[in-house]
Amino acid sequence: MTQHPPKSPLSGRPPELVRDLPEALLRKSLEDYFQEPPPARAVEGDYSLWRCVETHFEFAWPPRAGSEAFYQWIGGFPFYYPGTRWEHREVADRLRAESAGRTDGFKVLDVGCGSGRFLSSLNFLPIKARHAVDFSPLAIRECEAKGLPSHCGSIESALGAGFVAMQSLDAVTSFHCLEHVEQPVQFVEQMLSLLKPGGSLWVSTPNSPMSFESEWFDVLNHPPHHLGRWNPTAYRALARRLGCECDLFSPSASPLRFALGAFKLVSYGPNRGVGRVKRLADLVAGVGRFAGIWRRQRRRVAAAGVLAGDAILVRLTK
């Protein structure tokens, strides 16, 4: 399927094949997820999934990001965009503490800012100290309407336009963007270059494989949506490669909650409204199946410890 030898962005050793991901499978999985067939150009060819033998980082090959048609389609579903994330609150609390008492103009940039929800929560900073960058013109218009200094484009274009400068920021954040990019190491290097000495880069992604993926194929954690599947070992390897200190955080993990969520997915699929009475009846009828899922979730949480949550947040400092 692959025309060129796949190469891990984190290792020079040959990776191992996890599975092939033909276009037909991805299209069918997307249709099942969204209950609507994707447009013709939403998936542009076959992929395969590979694993770095040193870090267990999984990556798509070819590293081809989703097309404009793909993102226009999935972005039209109201449940695609999440509300406030766990990591938003975690980072906001830490930035509040870091900026307290500072008189030198503490500045933050959010890369892949979306509507500016996270930046708007940083009300302990002046509005002009909260900078927004995103590729979406619609997202940038929303940020501008909130008074946030905003730039539509890439980090390179923001630098070229003078919107930001090298070593000018105290903190850079990027929530659930790294898994989408074709060159993740270079993307992180660019963000690090914007930090003042002692500044912090905060990045979050899914913690892959997520709890329910032992039971159910999550097409949105695979290409063309996600090109990289990050885990704590991969983040530590990335930090070593870039000469950074690395701190890792994850939300609390509950085997029972994970098991209930996975059981619901395998029973009904995603984004299906199911009444409480039916869920309880199906749980009783499928108690043996649920018990197996629960045992697997217990083992997962025991193995991963405090980093067992379905999201992972990393703080990188030079």
Side-chain angles (χ1 to χ4, degrees):
M1 177 182 292
T2 52
Q3 297 179 349
H4 305 286
K7 182 179 179 182
S8 167
L10 298 179
S11 170
R13 294 175 59 184
E16 58 185 8
L17 176 66
V18 177
R19 64 178 298 175
D20 288 329
L21 295 168
E23 179 180 341
L25 168 67
L26 296 172
R27 293 185 64 86
K28 178 62 168 61
S29 299
L30 286 167
E31 182 175 350
D32 291 344
Y33 190 99
F34 290 104
Q35 302 178 61
E36 176 184 306
R41 298 188 62 188
V43 183
E44 299 181 312
D46 300 329
Y47 290 87
S48 53
L49 187 67
W50 295 78
R51 181 183 294 120
C52 173
V53 296
E54 293 185 58
T55 68
H56 289 179
F57 173 68
E58 294 181 351
F59 59 96
W61 198 265
R64 181 178 60 234
S67 65
E68 182 178 352
F70 173 74
Y71 279 104
Q72 284 181 346
W73 179 63
I74 64 173
F77 295 92
F79 53 80
Y80 173 68
Y81 292 104
T84 300
R85 296 184 183 274
W86 162 85
E87 52 266 43
H88 288 177
R89 182 175 61 254
E90 292 293 313
V91 176
D93 288 344
R94 286 169 170 80
L95 293 184
R96 185 191 305 272
E98 290 180 15
S99 63
R102 291 276 296 270
T103 59
D104 56 347
F106 193 94
K107 294 181 180 179
V108 178
L109 171 69
D110 190 23
V111 179
C113 59
S115 66
R117 182 186 293 269
F118 169 70
L119 289 174
S120 296
S121 73
L122 304 182
N123 52 17
F124 51 89
L125 294 175
I127 193 74
K128 296 302 181 184
R130 302 176 244 168
H131 297 74
V133 166
D134 201 288
F135 278 111
S136 167
L138 177 60
I140 290 302
R141 285 196 293 272
E142 291 188 59
C143 289
E144 289 173 339
K146 296 173 181 176
L148 297 164
S150 307
H151 175 81
C152 187
S154 64
I155 294 174
E156 296 96 326
S157 66
L159 284 165
F163 179 74
V164 292
M166 305 281 277
Q167 297 189 350
S168 64
L169 300 165
D170 298 281
V172 175
T173 60
S174 185
F175 302 110
H176 291 261
C177 293
L178 183 62
E179 65 269 30
H180 295 267
V181 302
E182 297 179 357
Q183 297 181 311
V185 176
Q186 292 86 337
F187 180 62
V188 173
E189 283 181 314
Q190 289 175 341
M191 293 189 288
L192 286 169
S193 73
L194 303 176
L195 291 170
K196 297 176 184 177
S200 299
L201 171 61
W202 296 91
V203 173
S204 70
T205 60
N207 190 6
S208 297
M210 291 183 283
S211 58
F212 51 82
E213 289 190 89
S214 61
E215 318 298 329
W216 178 77
F217 177 72
D218 182 11
V219 67
L220 290 190
N221 201 25
H222 288 85
H225 190 237
H226 289 176
L227 302 183
R229 291 165 54 87
W230 292 86
N231 62 63
T233 305
Y235 272 122
R236 293 186 182 107
L238 175 66
R240 288 194 299 272
R241 175 168 177 167
L242 298 178
C244 293
E245 297 293 324
C246 175
D247 299 299
L248 296 171
F249 312 88
S250 192
S252 61
S254 163
L256 177 60
R257 175 169 53 84
F258 285 164
L260 288 169
F263 184 83
K264 181 180 178 182
L265 277 170
V266 298
S267 299
Y268 315 115
N271 310 310
R272 303 325 195 254
V274 182
R276 182 178 300 179
V277 173
K278 177 170 176 53
R279 292 202 309 270
L280 181 59
D282 291 343
L283 184 61
V284 171
V287 66
R289 185 181 195 184
F290 174 78
I293 295 174
W294 177 68
R295 285 192 293 269
R296 286 188 287 275
Q297 295 305 322
R298 286 189 66 190
R299 289 195 293 268
R300 178 183 183 274
V301 171
V306 296
L307 297 179
D310 280 339
I312 189 162
L313 172 67
V314 59
R315 179 179 186 250
L316 296 175
T317 54
K318 283 284 189 178

